[in-house]
C-alpha cells in the first residue's frame, strides 16, 4: 500500500514526538522545583501505603492510555488524509479507437450509404470508450457529427441520415423516370418537396458546385482526417470508414486529390477502409473498373482495406470484418488503475479514539 501524501504522517509523528519531549522537559523542571521547595515531613509513610501506590499506578496507566489513544487517533487521521492506495494493472482487450465515417452523399451511392448508417446505428450503441464522428461531402465537406463518445447523440444523427437517404432514393428514382423529358406538374412539385427535405443535410455539401463540380473525394477525405482532434496524439487508434464510388467530377483542380488525401492519412497513421458499391449497387449508374482499382490501391496503401458491396456481400458483413481487424490489431493494452483505501486506517482510528475518550472520562471523574 502506498500514500499519495506520505509527508503528512511523518509530519504528525514528528510533532507528537516534539510535544512529548517538551512535556518530559517540563515534568523534569517541575520535579526540580518541587525538590528545591519546602518539603513536608513524614511523606514516606503515605508513599509506601498500598492504597497510594495502587492509585498512583492506576493514574500512570490512565495517563499513558490517554496519551496513546490521543496520539494514535491523530496518527490514523494523518494516514487517512494522506490517501492510502494500491495500484492494479489491468489488461484490456482493445485499445480505444477514434472512428470517422466519411460519406459521399451524391445520389449514386445512396443505397450503400443507407445500409451503412442503418447497421452502424446498432454498432454505435454497443461502443465502450471508442469515439465516433461523421463527415459528409459532395462538392464541399462538413463535419456532421464531431468526434464524440455521446452514443445517444450519434445514434440520433445516424437516424436522421437514414431518413435523408430514403428521401434521396425517392428523389433519384422519380427523377430518372423523366430524364430528358418534361416533368408533369404533380411530380415536379414532389421533386421540389424532396429537394427541400434534403437541403437540411445536403445544402452544406453543394457550395459552389456549379464552379467546382461534384464528388470531390480527396477534399472529403482530407476533411474527415482533420476532423480528428489532436492528430499528434498516438494513444488512440484512428480509422476512417469511407463510402464513395470514386467517380469525381471536378470542373477545376481540387485543393487535394484522393491520392494526396490518402498520403496525408498514411503520414498521420490513420487507416482508411474503403467501401465501394459493386455493379448491382450503383443505382443505375455506370460501374467504372478504373475507379475501383485506384480506390482499392490507395486504401490498402494506408494499412486499411478495400471492400466491395454486392448482393452476396452486404454492408453488415463488411463492417463486422473491419471491427474484427481493428480490434485484433490493437489488443493487449495494459492500464494501471489506482484504488484508494481510506478504510484501512478507519477502524484503528475508531479504536484509538474510543480509548482516548473512555480514559479521559475516567480521569475526569
Amino acid at each position: 500500500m502506498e500514500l499519495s501524501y506520505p509527508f503528512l504522517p511523518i509530519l504528525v509523528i514528528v510533532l507528537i514526538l516534539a510535544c512529548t519531549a517538551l512535556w518530559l522537559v517540563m515534568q523534569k523542571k517541575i520535579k526540580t522545583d518541587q525538590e528545591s521547595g519546602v518539603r513536608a515531613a513524614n511523606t514516606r509513610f503515605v508513599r509506601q501505603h498500598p492504597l497510594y501506590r495502587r492509585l498512583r499506578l492506576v493514574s500512570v496507566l490512565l495517563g499513558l492510555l490517554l496519551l496513546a489513544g490521543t496520539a494514535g487517533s491523530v496518527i490514523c487521521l494523518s494516514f487517512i488524509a494522506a490517501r492510502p492506495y494500491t495500484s492494479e494493472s489491468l489488461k484490456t482487450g482493445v485499445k480505444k479507437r477514434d472512428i470517422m465515417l466519411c460519406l459521399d452523399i451524391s445520389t449514386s451511392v445512396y443505397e450503400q450509404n443507407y445500409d451503412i448508417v442503418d447497421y452502424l446505428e446498432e454498432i454505435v450503441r454497443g461502443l465502450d470508450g471508442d469515439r465516433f464522428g461523421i463527415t459528409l461531402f459532395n462538392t464541399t465537406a462538413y463535419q456532421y457529427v464531431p468526434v464524440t463518445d455521446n452514443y445517444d447523440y450519434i445514434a440520433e444523427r445516424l437516424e436522421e441520415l437514414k431518413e435523408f437517404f430514403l428521401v434521396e432514393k425517392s428523389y433519384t428514382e422519380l427523377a430518372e423516370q423523366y430524364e430528358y423529358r418534361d416533368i408533369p406538374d404533380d411530380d415536379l412539385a414532389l421533386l421540389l418537396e424532396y429537394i427541400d427535405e434534403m437541403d437540411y443535410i445536403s445544402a452544406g455539401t453543394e457550395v459552389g458546385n456549379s464552379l467546382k463540380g461534384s464528388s470531390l473525394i480527396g477534399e472529403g477525405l482530407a476533411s474527415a482526417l482533420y476532423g480528428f482532434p489532436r492528430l499528434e496524439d498516438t494513444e488512440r487508434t484512428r480509422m476512417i470508414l469511407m463510402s464513395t464510388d470514386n467517380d469525381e467530377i471536378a470542373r477545376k483542380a481540387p485543393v487535394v486529390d484522393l491520392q494526396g488525401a490518402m498520403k496525408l492519412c498514411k503520414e498521420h497513421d490513420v487507416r482508411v477502409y474503403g467501401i465501394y458499391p459493386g455493379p448491382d449497387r450503383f443505382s443505375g449508374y455506370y460501374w467504372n473498373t478504373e475507379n475501383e482499382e485506384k480506390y482499392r490501391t490507395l486504401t490498402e496503401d494506408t494499412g486499411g482495406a478495400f471492400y466491395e458491396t454486392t448482393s452476396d456481400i452486404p454492408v453488415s458483413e463488411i463492417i463486422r470484418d473491419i471491427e474484427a481487424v481493428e480490434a485484433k490489431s490493437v489488443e493487449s493494452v495494459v492500464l494501471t488503475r489506482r484504488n484508494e483505501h481510506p478504510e484501512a486506517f478507519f477502524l484503528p482510528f475508531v479504536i484509538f479514539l474510543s480509548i482516548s475518550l473512555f480514559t479521559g472520562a475516567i480521569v475526569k471523574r
Side-chain angles (χ1 to χ4, degrees), residues 189-237:
L190 188 56
L191 286 173
L192 293 175
E193 183 180 331
Y194 288 150
I195 291 172
D196 187 55
E197 289 180 33
M198 291 189 296
D199 270 352
Y200 173 69
I201 288 174
S202 64
T205 67
E206 297 174 352
V207 178
N209 63 333
S210 60
L211 298 175
K212 296 174 64 178
S214 64
S215 293
L216 302 185
I217 302 162
E219 293 186 10
L221 179 58
S223 297
L225 171 67
Y226 288 106
F228 288 117
R230 300 183 62 181
L231 269 176
E232 72 280 1
D233 182 5
T234 59
E235 292 300 314
R236 302 182 74 90
T237 299

Side-chain angles (χ1 to χ4, degrees), residues 267-285:
E267 289 174 356
H268 288 92
D269 198 26
V270 176
R271 298 178 184 180
V272 179
Y273 291 87
I275 304 176
Y276 186 82
D280 57 347
R281 299 298 302 276
F282 244 79
S283 310
Y285 286 75

Side-chain angles (χ1 to χ4, degrees), residues 114-131:
Y114 178 87
D115 290 346
I116 289 173
V117 297
D118 184 39
Y119 188 72
L120 278 175
E121 189 175 355
E122 299 177 22
I123 297 295
V124 164
R125 294 187 186 279
L127 294 179
D128 180 18
D130 293 331
R131 298 186 300 193

